[in-house]
Amino acid sequence: MQSYNQKDTISAISTPIGEGAISIVRLSGKDAISIADTIFSKDIQNLKSKTAALGNILDTDKKAVDSAVLIVYRAPNSFTGEDIVEIQCHGGRLITQKVFEITLLAGARASLAGEFTMRAFLNKKIDLTQAEAIQDLISAKNSLAMKAAKNQLEGHLSKKIKEFQKKIVEIVAFIEANLDFPEEDLQDASKNTLVENLSQISKDIQKLVDTFEDGKVLKEGLSLCIVGAVNVGKSSLMNAILKKDRAIVTNISGTTRDVLKEDLKLNEMLYQLIDTAGIRKASNVIEKEGIKRSKKELKDADITLLVLDSSRKLNEEDRQIFEKLDSKKTIAIWNKIDLLEPKVIEPTVVEPTVVEPKSLDSKVETKEKIDFENVVKISAKKREGLTALYSMIEKLTFKSKISTNEIIITQKRHKIALIDSLKYLDKAINDLKNDISHEFIAVDLKSSLLELSKIIGFDITEDILTSIFSNFCIGK
Amino acid sequence: MQSYNQKDTISAISTPIGEGAISIVRLSGKDAISIADTIFSKDIQNLKSKTAALGNILDTDKKAVDSAVLIVYRAPNSFTGEDIVEIQCHGGRLITQKVFEITLLAGARASLAGEFTMRAFLNKKIDLTQAEAIQDLISAKNSLAMKAAKNQLEGHLSKKIKEFQKKIVEIVAFIEANLDFPEEDLQDASKNTLVENLSQISKDIQKLVDTFEDGKVLKEGLSLCIVGAVNVGKSSLMNAILKKDRAIVTNISGTTRDVLKEDLKLNEMLYQLIDTAGIRKASNVIEKEGIKRSKKELKDADITLLVLDSSRKLNEEDRQIFEKLDSKKTIAIWNKIDLLEPKVIEPTVVEPTVVEPKSLDSKVETKEKIDFENVVKISAKKREGLTALYSMIEKLTFKSKISTNEIIITQKRHKIALIDSLKYLDKAINDLKNDISHEFIAVDLKSSLLELSKIIGFDITEDILTSIFSNFCIGK
C-alpha cells in the first residue's frame, strides 16, 4: 500500500475527467506555492491568499504548454489547512494530464484517493462525518440524498453525536465523583434518575440507528421486482412504467427470458425496475436459466410488484408465487382491468395520457379478492391506475417519513459504531439496575463513549471530561 | 435557432461532466456579480477582482445546498471581457446541475455552445484563430496537436497572417498613391519589384496552405489499413502491433470476417489500425459482406500496410491486391521471416521483446522481390522488425517534417480563406505583368486582404492603411 505521507506536497486533477472549458489541478502541502511558482510564468510567491493570477504553465524546457489561472490559498485558511494552489487550465483530457504531470515533475506527489479530504480531517478542518459527507454529496443520486449529505457536511450528525457524548460524560462524571466514597451507595432516587437518563439516551441512539435503512435507500435506491404467472402482463407493466418499449411484449407465454433491468426515477427517488421471466416449470434450458435468475432477483428485491390477471380466476401458478412473497414488501397489482366490465361507463381513454379516475377500485371488480395489504387495479395497456401504483411504491419506500431536516445516517460504519455504543450503554443500564459496582458501570459508559467517538473521528470525551471536572472544587 | 443575445448574463457548467472533487459553474455578463450575490450566503458585491470568497450556495428557499468558493473577475479584465463569477462547488453530477439551475432561477440564461469564447472574441479579448485554438487545445489527442493549438492560442498564426496583410497593404498603398497620376506608368523597375514581392507573399501563403494536411493529421490521426491475401498473417500483425490478442488468429482461411478497428499511439501520433478480411472470392454471404467492407476501408485508408508471405511465392491473389493500391501510401510487409533460413545464425528470440538486428534485411531473403518504395521484413509471430515498420509508418505520416515551433493550420476554414486569398493575389500578379489598369489590381489585392481578414475575424486592413497613409505627406 502506498503511504499517506503527510510531509509530501500532493497533486491531483480535481475536476471530473473529460472535456470541458476548464479543469483544475490542485496542489496541497508545504511546498505547494514554491512548486507552483517554478512551473508558472509569473511570480506567485507573494500572491495574497485567495487571489488569482493569470499566466502560463511552463514545461520542464520552460516552454508554455497552456495559459492558466492560479489561485493561492494560504495555510491554515484552506480546505486542507495547508497551503493550496489551484491551477485552472483548459479542460481537455490531454492538456489536463500534461499540467498534472508537470506538477509531479516539479516535486509534487500524485495524491492517493481521498488524500485532500484526509488532510483536512487530520488538520481538524472537518471531522470524519463531514469527510464522509463530501463523498456522499458528490455521488448523490437524488436530491434527498444530496440534502442529507449537505446536512451531514454542515455537521448536524456530529452535533447530535456530541450531544449523546455530553450527556453520557456527565453521568460518568457523576458516577466517578462518587467512586471516591465507595461505602456510600447511590441514593435510590439518583439511581433511578441515572437509569432514566441513560435509557432516554439509549432510545435516542436506537432512533438514529433506525434511520440507516432510509439512509441506505437514499444513497443506493431500491429494487422493484416485477413477478407473476405467465401472460399476466409483467413486461407490459414494465413498459408502461418506463414509458417506452423496453421489453418485447407478445401473447406467447415465456416471451421474456432474460432478466431486464432499468433505472427508474419516481419523485426524485431512484429505483431499479426488474422484469423477470415467469416463475414456472420451464420447457427448455434457456427458460430454466431465466427462471433461476428470476428467483434470485425476487429474493433480493426491496419491493415486489406481483402482477395478477384480473380477467381470470387465480390459478395454481399464481398461488405458488404468492407463497414465495413477503406480503409486507409486496404490492399486488390486478392488471388488465380494461378487460373487465366497468360498473359505469368510462370516457374513452386516449393514450398515452395516464388516466386516474377517482375511486377506480369501485368501478371495476376483479373475479377474485386476495388478502394483501397493498392492492391496486391497473391497465398496463391503457396506462390506467399507474399514479395509484406510484404512491403505493412511495409508501413502501421509506420506513419513516423522510424529511430533509431530519438527521439520517447513511454510512454502515456509523450504524455499527452506534450499535456497539448501544451495547455498552444497555449493559451499563442493566448493571446499574442490578447494583453492580460503579467502577464497571463507568468503564462500560466510557466504552460507549469511545464507540461514539469513532463516528466523529476525534476523541472529544477527554475535552468534555476536563471541562466538567474543572467545575468541580479542588480536592473533590 | 437560439440567439446569442449579448445582453444576457450567461451561465454554464464549465468543467467536464462527471464525478470529481470540484466543479465550476461560470457566469458572465453585466449581472454576473449581482446574480451570484443573491444566491450566495456572503456579500460579494464589493469583492475585489480576482479574489475568492467561501460561503454557501442558497436555493430559492434560502437553504444552503452546497458550500462553494466564488471567484470574481471584474470587466474588462476577464476571459470574456465582461464581469465573470466562477462558482466552485462539489464535483458531483447532481450537485453541479443543482447549482447551475439555481443560477438560472436567479436570472442567468444557459449559455449556448461556445458562447463564453464568442463573447471573448466580440469583446476583442482574442481573435478568431485564438478562439478556434481553445477548442483544438481541449480536444487535442496528442502532444503535437496540443502544442500546435497552444501556438495558435498564443497568436502565432494571427501574427503570420498580419505579416501577409501588412506586406500586401504596403503594395496597395503604393499602387493607390500612383492612381492619382494615371498617365504616369509604373517604371519597369518598380513593376518588377512589385511582382517579385507579391510572388514571394504568394509562395509563403501557399506554404502555409500546405501545412493543412499535416494539421489535419495532427488533429484527427491517420488510418492504417492492413490488407493482404488469406493467411499471410494480417491479424497476427495487428495483434503484434497492439501487443494484445485483439483479432482471433487461426490457420483457417477467412477467420477474420469483421473489419476490426483499434486506436494506436506511435510516438505521440494517433492512428486507427484497421484489420480487414482478406479481399478474395467469398464462399458465403457473411464473408462477402466482410470483403465489401474491407474494400471501402482500403479506399479511405491514409496508409496501407500490405502483408505478404515471405515463405511462399507471390500468387494471383497477392497480385490482384497490388493493383488496387497506391504505392506512395503503401508499405509492403514481408511477414513470416521466421520461416526463412537466415544467412547467419541469430540469437534465440525471447518473446515479447522486440528484436531489431541491424540490417535485418540482409540476413534473410524472401523468395521474391517486389517493386515498392517502402518495404520491410518482419515476423509478426516473433515480433521482429516492428521498429523498422514503425519508422516507416512515421515517415509516411507527415508530408513535411513537423516541428512544434512551425505554424500549422488545422482548420479547413483557414485553408479555404488562404486559397481564396491566393486566387486574388495571383490574379493581381498576372494583371500586373500584363499591364492591366492599376485600379483592378488594387481591387484584387483588397479582396485578397479581405479573405485573410476572415481568418483573424477582425478587419485590420483599415487600421494598417490608416497608419501607412498617415506617413504620407498631406496633399499626396
Side-chain angles (χ1 to χ4, degrees):
Chain A
M1 204 187 116
Q2 284 181 279
S3 81
Y4 287 84
N5 186 344
Q6 258 201 283
K7 284 176 186 163
D8 294 343
T9 293
I10 51 174
S11 175
I13 297 171
S14 294
T15 40
I17 300 300
E19 284 187 9
I22 307 170
S23 283
I24 296 176
V25 174
R26 189 162 53 162
L27 294 162
S28 180
K30 63 179 171 39
D31 299 326
I33 293 171
S34 63
I35 288 173
D37 192 61
T38 61
I39 63 170
F40 200 55
S41 58
K42 280 187 190 157
D43 179 11
I44 56 153
Q45 291 278 14
N46 299 312
L47 200 63
K48 271 177 64 183
S49 190
K50 293 190 192 173
T51 53
L54 178 69
N56 272 310
I57 295 294
L58 308 176
D59 208 344
T60 39
D61 57 4
K62 294 292 166 201
K63 278 201 182 132
V65 296
D66 194 10
S67 47
V69 171
L70 249 72
I71 301 160
V72 167
Y73 298 85
R74 290 185 185 270
N77 295 316
S78 75
F79 170 60
T80 56
E82 305 173 328
D83 282 348
I84 282 186
V85 177
E86 262 184 31
I87 304 169
Q88 292 191 7
C89 60
H90 283 99
R93 280 171 197 274
L94 202 69
I95 192 77
T96 311
Q97 187 63 32
K98 180 76 189 172
V99 171
F100 171 58
E101 281 166 12
I102 288 174
T103 65
L104 302 188
L105 289 173
R109 167 171 67 74
S111 93
L112 303 175
E115 201 169 4
F116 284 84
T117 310
M118 188 192 211
R119 289 189 178 194
F121 166 69
L122 292 173
N123 293 323
K124 308 219 169 179
K125 303 293 288 187
I126 52 175
D127 66 35
L128 267 192
T129 69
Q130 291 172 308
E132 288 163 323
I134 291 175
Q135 189 49 48
D136 282 357
L137 192 59
I138 288 170
S139 54
K141 296 276 183 292
N142 61 67
S143 66
L144 288 174
M146 201 166 78
K147 282 177 187 166
K150 173 64 181 160
N151 268 350
Q152 190 171 318
L153 181 59
E154 284 182 335
H156 292 293
L157 175 60
S158 312
K159 205 179 142 210
K160 187 130 193 164
I161 301 295
K162 283 175 193 166
E163 280 168 17
F164 293 145
Q165 287 181 312
K166 190 159 185 290
K167 285 179 186 164
I168 298 173
V169 162
E170 279 168 355
I171 294 170
V172 172
F174 180 83
I175 291 174
E176 292 208 326
N178 283 289
L179 277 180
D180 297 341
F181 313 95
E183 68 284 0
E184 299 174 32
D185 276 342
L186 283 176
Q187 298 282 317
D188 267 2
S190 7
K191 194 183 98 178
N192 287 344
T193 312
L194 284 183
V195 168
E196 218 167 85
N197 290 346
L198 286 173
S199 300
Q200 186 56 49
I201 300 169
S202 169
K203 263 185 216 158
D204 291 343
I205 292 179
Q206 185 58 51
K207 233 169 105 184
L208 195 56
V209 170
D210 292 341
T211 66
F212 177 69
E213 287 212 31
D214 290 342
K216 194 166 155 275
V217 168
L218 274 187
K219 264 177 85 169
E220 296 166 15
L222 283 183
S223 57
L224 290 176
C225 189
I226 304 177
V227 291
V230 291
N231 261 354
V232 292
K234 296 186 293 298
S235 297
S236 301
L237 176 64
M238 180 155 193
N239 290 344
I241 293 175
L242 295 173
K243 294 177 190 130
K244 60 181 173 181
D245 288 340
R246 171 66 171 87
I248 299 166
V249 179
T250 72
N251 55 1
I252 304 164
S253 301
T255 301
T256 303
R257 285 168 167 179
D258 287 312
V259 172
L260 303 180
K261 296 186 180 187
E262 285 280 337
D263 282 342
L264 173 71
K265 222 172 177 180
L266 285 182
N267 296 323
E268 284 294 335
M269 267 303 301
L270 197 75
Y271 297 90
Q272 193 175 40
L273 188 63
I274 302 163
D275 183 16
T276 62
I279 295 169
R280 66 185 178 286
K281 273 187 191 153
S283 53
N284 66 42
V285 178
I286 304 175
E287 263 193 52
K288 247 180 208 158
E289 177 60 26
I291 292 168
K292 197 177 129 198
R293 289 183 189 186
S294 297
K295 282 186 180 163
K296 193 191 165 329
E297 291 297 339
L298 184 58
K299 202 170 143 270
D300 298 341
D302 294 304
I303 297 175
T304 312
L305 304 180
L306 166 67
V307 187
L308 301 164
D309 186 342
S310 60
S311 67
R312 64 159 170 76
K313 296 223 165 209
L314 292 177
N315 62 23
E316 189 48 33
E317 198 187 342
D318 292 323
R319 287 181 213 285
Q320 273 182 14
I321 295 168
F322 281 15
E323 285 166 18
K324 294 185 178 73
L325 302 180
D326 175 354
S327 72
K328 272 183 209 150
K329 63 172 200 177
T330 300
I331 301 173
I333 301 168
W334 287 108
N335 189 22
K336 306 192 187 177
I337 54 165
D338 50 304
L339 300 180
L340 298 175
E341 292 272 315
K343 274 187 179 167
V344 293
I345 291 152
E346 290 290 317
T348 321
V349 175
V350 184
E351 288 194 64
T353 324
V354 177
V355 178
E356 297 299 333
K358 268 185 191 168
S359 62
L360 188 69
D361 285 8
S362 65
K363 287 180 195 153
V364 288
E365 259 180 27
T366 54
K367 298 227 187 312
E368 292 200 48
K369 299 274 175 212
I370 49 164
D371 190 25
F372 271 87
E373 196 180 321
N374 308 296
V375 184
V376 280
K377 296 176 187 178
I378 70 159
S379 162
K381 198 176 150 196
K382 303 220 161 182
R383 301 180 49 71
E384 286 178 56
L386 292 181
T387 307
L389 172 61
Y390 296 157
S391 3
M392 210 160 277
I393 291 172
E394 215 182 340
K395 199 186 95 187
L396 287 184
T397 298
F398 293 112
K399 286 189 116 185
S400 53
K401 183 80 197 153
I402 286 243
S403 122
T404 55
N405 298 320
E406 203 188 336
I407 294 160
I408 297 159
I409 56 166
T410 56
Q411 304 275 345
K412 197 159 188 185
R413 195 183 71 77
H414 299 170
K415 185 188 172 188
I416 292 169
L418 287 172
I419 288 175
D420 287 347
S421 165
L422 264 185
K423 267 189 230 154
Y424 290 113
L425 197 61
D426 290 344
K427 185 163 173 285
I429 295 171
N430 222 32
D431 287 355
L432 202 57
K433 283 181 187 161
N434 296 324
D435 293 322
I436 306 286
S437 167
H438 292 169
E439 275 105 335
F440 294 113
I441 295 171
V443 166
D444 280 336
L445 289 178
K446 282 179 178 175
S447 299
S448 177
L449 282 171
L450 194 67
E451 293 302 328
L452 290 176
S453 294
K454 284 182 187 170
I455 295 171
I456 305 179
F458 308 132
D459 189 2
I460 58 153
T461 54
E462 274 304 318
D463 297 346
I464 305 177
L465 279 170
T466 312
S467 84
I468 290 171
F469 284 110
S470 67
N471 293 330
F472 282 34
C473 55
I474 293 166
K476 179 74 185 174
Chain B
M1 202 187 119
Q2 285 181 280
S3 80
Y4 286 85
N5 187 343
Q6 258 201 282
K7 285 178 186 161
D8 294 344
T9 294
I10 51 174
S11 175
I13 299 171
S14 295
T15 40
I17 302 300
E19 284 186 10
I22 306 172
S23 283
I24 296 177
V25 174
R26 187 163 54 161
L27 294 162
S28 180
K30 62 179 171 39
D31 299 327
I33 294 171
S34 63
I35 287 172
D37 192 61
T38 60
I39 64 171
F40 201 53
S41 59
K42 279 188 191 156
D43 180 10
I44 57 153
Q45 292 278 13
N46 300 313
L47 200 62
K48 270 176 65 184
S49 189
K50 294 190 190 171
T51 53
L54 178 68
N56 272 311
I57 295 295
L58 307 176
D59 209 345
T60 39
D61 59 4
K62 295 290 163 202
K63 277 200 183 133
V65 297
D66 194 10
S67 47
V69 171
L70 249 72
I71 302 160
V72 168
Y73 298 86
R74 292 187 185 268
N77 297 317
S78 75
F79 170 60
T80 57
E82 306 174 326
D83 281 350
I84 282 186
V85 178
E86 262 184 32
I87 304 169
Q88 292 192 5
C89 60
H90 283 99
R93 280 170 198 275
L94 203 69
I95 191 78
T96 310
Q97 188 63 34
K98 180 76 188 172
V99 172
F100 172 58
E101 281 165 13
I102 288 174
T103 65
L104 301 187
L105 290 172
R109 166 171 68 75
S111 94
L112 303 175
E115 202 169 2
F116 284 84
T117 309
M118 189 192 209
R119 289 188 177 194
F121 167 69
L122 292 173
N123 294 323
K124 308 218 168 180
K125 303 293 288 186
I126 53 173
D127 66 35
L128 267 192
T129 69
Q130 290 172 310
E132 289 163 321
I134 292 173
Q135 189 49 47
D136 282 357
L137 191 60
I138 288 169
S139 55
K141 296 277 182 293
N142 61 67
S143 66
L144 288 174
M146 202 165 79
K147 282 176 187 166
K150 172 63 179 160
N151 268 351
Q152 190 171 320
L153 182 59
E154 284 183 335
H156 292 292
L157 176 59
S158 313
K159 203 178 143 212
K160 187 130 191 164
I161 301 293
K162 283 175 193 166
E163 280 168 18
F164 293 145
Q165 287 181 314
K166 190 158 182 292
K167 285 178 187 167
I168 298 173
V169 161
E170 279 168 354
I171 294 170
V172 171
F174 181 82
I175 290 173
E176 293 207 327
N178 283 288
L179 277 181
D180 299 341
F181 313 94
E183 69 286 357
E184 300 174 30
D185 275 342
L186 283 176
Q187 300 282 314
D188 267 2
S190 10
K191 195 184 99 178
N192 287 345
T193 312
L194 285 184
V195 168
E196 220 167 85
N197 290 347
L198 285 173
S199 299
Q200 187 57 48
I201 301 170
S202 170
K203 264 186 216 158
D204 291 344
I205 292 180
Q206 185 59 52
K207 232 168 104 184
L208 195 57
V209 169
D210 291 342
T211 66
F212 178 70
E213 286 212 28
D214 289 343
K216 195 166 155 272
V217 167
L218 275 186
K219 266 178 85 170
E220 297 166 15
L222 283 184
S223 57
L224 290 177
C225 189
I226 304 176
V227 291
V230 291
N231 261 354
V232 292
K234 297 185 293 297
S235 297
S236 301
L237 175 63
M238 181 156 191
N239 290 343
I241 293 176
L242 294 173
K243 293 173 191 134
K244 59 181 173 181
D245 288 339
R246 170 67 172 84
I248 299 165
V249 178
T250 72
N251 54 0
I252 304 165
S253 301
T255 300
T256 302
R257 284 169 170 179
D258 288 313
V259 172
L260 303 179
K261 297 185 180 188
E262 283 281 336
D263 282 341
L264 172 70
K265 224 174 177 180
L266 284 182
N267 294 322
E268 284 296 336
M269 268 303 304
L270 198 73
Y271 298 89
Q272 192 175 39
L273 189 63
I274 302 163
D275 184 16
T276 63
I279 295 168
R280 65 183 178 285
K281 273 186 191 154
S283 53
N284 66 43
V285 178
I286 303 174
E287 263 193 53
K288 247 180 208 160
E289 177 59 25
I291 292 169
K292 196 176 132 198
R293 288 182 190 187
S294 296
K295 282 187 181 164
K296 195 191 164 325
E297 292 295 339
L298 184 58
K299 202 170 143 271
D300 298 341
D302 294 304
I303 297 175
T304 313
L305 305 180
L306 167 66
V307 186
L308 300 164
D309 186 342
S310 59
S311 67
R312 64 159 169 80
K313 297 223 163 209
L314 291 177
N315 62 23
E316 189 49 34
E317 198 186 344
D318 291 323
R319 286 181 214 284
Q320 273 182 13
I321 295 167
F322 281 16
E323 285 165 19
K324 293 186 179 72
L325 303 180
D326 175 354
S327 72
K328 272 182 209 152
K329 62 173 202 179
T330 300
I331 300 173
I333 301 167
W334 287 109
N335 189 21
K336 307 193 186 177
I337 54 165
D338 49 305
L339 301 180
L340 300 175
E341 292 274 312
K343 276 185 177 167
V344 293
I345 292 150
E346 292 289 317
T348 320
V349 176
V350 184
E351 288 193 64
T353 321
V354 177
V355 176
E356 299 298 332
K358 267 184 191 169
S359 63
L360 187 69
D361 286 8
S362 66
K363 287 180 194 151
V364 289
E365 260 180 27
T366 54
K367 297 226 189 306
E368 291 199 53
K369 298 276 175 210
I370 48 162
D371 189 26
F372 272 87
E373 196 180 320
N374 309 295
V375 184
V376 280
K377 297 178 187 176
I378 69 158
S379 162
K381 198 176 151 197
K382 302 221 161 179
R383 300 180 49 70
E384 286 179 55
L386 293 181
T387 306
L389 173 60
Y390 296 157
S391 359
M392 210 161 277
I393 291 172
E394 214 181 339
K395 198 186 98 187
L396 286 184
T397 298
F398 294 113
K399 287 189 115 187
S400 54
K401 184 80 198 153
I402 286 240
S403 122
T404 55
N405 297 320
E406 204 189 334
I407 294 159
I408 296 159
I409 56 167
T410 56
Q411 304 275 344
K412 198 162 187 183
R413 194 182 74 74
H414 299 169
K415 185 188 173 189
I416 291 168
L418 287 172
I419 288 176
D420 288 346
S421 164
L422 264 186
K423 267 186 229 156
Y424 290 114
L425 197 61
D426 291 343
K427 186 161 171 287
I429 295 170
N430 223 31
D431 288 355
L432 201 56
K433 283 180 188 166
N434 296 323
D435 293 321
I436 305 287
S437 168
H438 293 169
E439 275 106 334
F440 294 112
I441 296 171
V443 167
D444 279 337
L445 290 178
K446 282 180 178 172
S447 298
S448 177
L449 283 170
L450 195 68
E451 292 302 327
L452 290 177
S453 295
K454 284 182 186 168
I455 296 172
I456 305 180
F458 307 133
D459 190 1
I460 58 153
T461 55
E462 275 305 318
D463 298 345
I464 304 179
L465 279 171
T466 312
S467 84
I468 288 171
F469 285 111
S470 65
N471 292 330
F472 282 33
C473 55
I474 293 167
K476 178 74 186 177

